[in-house]
Amino acid sequence: MSSPATSGDREKVVSKLPGWLRQQLKVRTAQHGIEIQAAVEQGLTLWTALASTPEIVDTSGADSFATFLPAGQWTNFKTTAKHRSVSMTQGLAQAVQLWLDSNPAPGITRPAITRRIVVCNQKGGVGKTAVTAGLGEALAEDPNALYPVQIAKQLAAESDTDDPLGVENLPGLGLRILMVDFDPQCHLTNQLGAAPLPIDGDSLTNHMGGSPKGDLRDLIVQIDEEHFGGRLHLLPACTDAFLLDVRLSSVRAREAALERALAPLEADYDVVVVDCPPSLGLSMDAAAYYGRRRENEAPGQSGVLVVVQAEDSSADAYDLLTNQIEDLRGDMALDMEYLGLVVNLYDPRRGYIATSSLEGWMDIKDPKVVGIIGERKEQKEAVRMKRPLLSYAPKSQISVAMRALAREVA
């Protein structure tokens, strides 16, 4: 059937498609960045041009499907379907399948050099761990599924409202992610439901200190395989990291200790995300050095992601951190980049202090704000349940914001 419509020079057509085929069409068009109506138009053009009828498509359970097509195309399609003795539902399904076959899912673009994202701020309680986890999870989601994502261009405009406008369903990024819990408090490890490493066993601290007890790869655990498809891994923390600065003080080229430990793992991952401790000591030097831009690495791929809050003490801590990074840049001639600022736990209900502080962060243009994460109950619930936020509450506003952050730094 067809009925007149007012969508430019197109007409609205109504037929049927099976749900599985409609979902594949929705995902694939999002992957290629085109509209569903354009894909159906192309599929029908291909189908009517065939010399013979293609294979039968299973249309059991087909239900209503509507789109807009150029005037006259649906009439030509019905005529061709009649000549081929197939129903319009079957013909449309074959046309959609033909478009899918002609437009395979694009492959994941792997970085030539494994990216390193160092999430830091020596002030405790700003939410570095939550941002590390949410960012890693968002980078690892299924590229063949759709997830709600806040549109980046509306970042500032939407920061003080719960209105979900500006949200689109986009494919997951599908990257292979290693999250490194570099904090002796083990918050990231505990929040994701993993066990901290025993203090009498092997650990990242041992490898950085030059006394490994085995292969660091053996310590890695997989996070929620069902949701993340084996792409999201965690290197758990150990409380022995409280002694890391002491051990590093006697290590040769101590600033490169984290890189020496993690380098053998990098070939297995697209991105390594490091959750740093609230410290300005030698461990932070090693983390910052790990995130430096390497030879032949493109700008903006690796660096420091600073988590702050919309309040005054966070600004004071930020100054201390940037001073340390600038010292490292100057003393060691390092090419260290800021990937941006993340304003976390933002709640406009706290009044002038919160809103004016946010304006202050937004006024900083180098580094710029790349994410505004609200304070939401789903984050606390996920921590309590020891579940990844994006699989526990995938449609929550905070998950939507985490995906926006991932696309800003991806």
Side-chain angles (χ1 to χ4, degrees):
M1 299 183 296
S2 66
S3 58
T6 59
S7 180
D9 59 350
R10 292 175 174 261
E11 62 177 353
K12 183 178 181 181
V13 301
V14 180
S15 185
K16 290 185 177 182
L17 267 184
W20 65 269
L21 191 56
R22 182 189 295 109
Q23 182 61 23
Q24 284 191 21
L25 178 63
K26 187 182 298 184
V27 171
R28 192 69 56 80
T29 52
Q31 290 172 331
H32 285 280
I34 71 171
E35 295 183 355
I36 288 178
Q37 64 180 14
V40 175
E41 176 187 343
Q42 294 170 18
L44 289 173
T45 299
L46 292 170
W47 187 82
T48 54
L50 291 175
S52 61
T53 307
E55 293 184 4
I56 297 297
V57 175
D58 181 6
T59 58
S60 56
D63 54 16
S64 181
F65 172 79
T67 190
F68 290 89
L69 295 174
Q73 185 177 38
W74 191 246
T75 299
N76 292 338
F77 162 71
K78 289 193 294 184
T79 300
T80 305
K82 183 177 180 180
H83 290 161
R84 293 177 179 173
S85 300
V86 298
S87 67
M88 287 188 291
T89 299
Q90 179 60 218
L92 178 60
Q94 290 177 5
V96 169
Q97 186 63 61
L98 185 59
W99 184 86
L100 291 170
D101 293 342
S102 302
N103 295 270
I108 302 298
T109 302
R110 309 288 181 192
I113 299 173
T114 299
R115 299 181 58 195
R116 289 96 47 224
I117 300 176
V118 177
V119 182
C120 60
N121 190 333
Q122 85 283 2
K123 184 180 185 299
V126 297
K128 295 184 296 294
T129 297
V131 170
T132 299
L135 174 61
E137 293 163 25
L139 291 169
E141 285 187 310
D142 188 355
N144 294 310
L146 298 179
Y147 304 94
V149 182
Q150 185 173 342
I151 300 173
K153 67 181 181 181
Q154 298 201 16
L155 183 63
E158 297 294 330
S159 62
D160 58 353
T161 179
D162 290 328
D163 188 350
L165 293 177
V167 173
E168 289 185 1
N169 289 320
L170 299 175
L173 296 172
L175 298 174
R176 302 167 301 177
I177 305 301
L178 174 64
M179 298 181 293
V180 177
D181 192 348
F182 196 40
D183 187 344
Q185 298 173 91
C186 307
H187 289 322
L188 181 62
T189 301
N190 289 323
Q191 286 186 20
L192 293 175
L197 299 171
I199 200 166
D200 58 348
D202 202 7
S203 67
L204 178 58
T205 301
N206 288 338
H207 285 256
M208 292 179 65
S211 56
K213 297 182 180 180
D215 189 337
L216 195 61
R217 187 176 281 100
D218 295 337
L219 305 180
I220 294 174
V221 297
Q222 190 166 271
I223 302 298
D224 198 344
E225 179 179 5
E226 182 177 355
H227 186 85
F228 299 104
R231 292 177 296 275
L232 185 62
H233 293 174
L234 169 72
L235 177 58
C238 178
T239 55
D240 67 355
F242 279 115
L243 303 174
L244 180 58
D245 279 10
V246 174
R247 295 185 65 174
L248 285 179
S249 63
S250 60
V251 171
R252 181 181 58 83
R254 60 198 181 198
E255 69 281 347
L258 181 59
E259 181 165 301
R260 287 196 298 268
L262 296 180
L265 308 177
E266 290 180 359
D268 296 333
Y269 299 99
D270 300 310
V271 186
V272 177
V273 187
V274 181
D275 182 28
C276 291
S279 167
L280 287 177
L282 298 179
S283 56
M284 185 59 219
D285 283 354
Y289 182 89
Y290 182 61
R292 79 195 187 286
R293 182 180 170 191
R294 295 177 180 172
E295 186 177 0
N296 298 322
E297 186 173 19
Q301 296 297 293
S302 298
V304 172
L305 186 67
V306 184
V307 181
V308 298
Q309 285 182 267
E311 44 88 29
D312 295 340
S313 62
S314 194
D316 296 336
Y318 171 73
D319 288 339
L320 292 173
L321 176 65
T322 54
N323 287 339
Q324 180 180 14
I325 291 175
E326 291 308 313
D327 287 344
L328 286 170
R329 275 175 163 174
D331 295 345
M332 303 185 66
L334 299 182
D335 190 356
M336 298 178 61
E337 295 186 62
Y338 290 96
L339 298 180
L341 302 174
V342 180
V343 182
N344 192 36
L345 300 172
Y346 177 66
D347 186 351
R349 294 173 299 178
R350 292 176 179 168
Y352 174 74
I353 291 179
T355 56
S356 62
S357 295
L358 175 61
E359 290 175 1
W361 292 119
M362 296 294 291
D363 286 340
I364 298 175
K365 303 305 180 185
D366 185 17
K368 68 176 184 178
V369 172
V370 293
I372 301 173
I373 311 296
E375 187 171 11
R376 298 289 187 270
K377 64 181 180 62
E378 291 87 355
Q379 175 64 48
K380 295 179 179 178
E381 292 170 355
V383 171
R384 174 68 65 86
M385 299 297 292
K386 297 187 181 298
R387 294 267 311 277
L389 169 68
L390 271 67
S391 59
Y392 173 77
K395 296 183 179 180
S396 65
Q397 190 64 18
I398 188 169
S399 293
V400 169
M402 289 293 185
R403 295 188 187 104
L405 170 62
R407 280 163 170 77
E408 282 290 309
V409 301

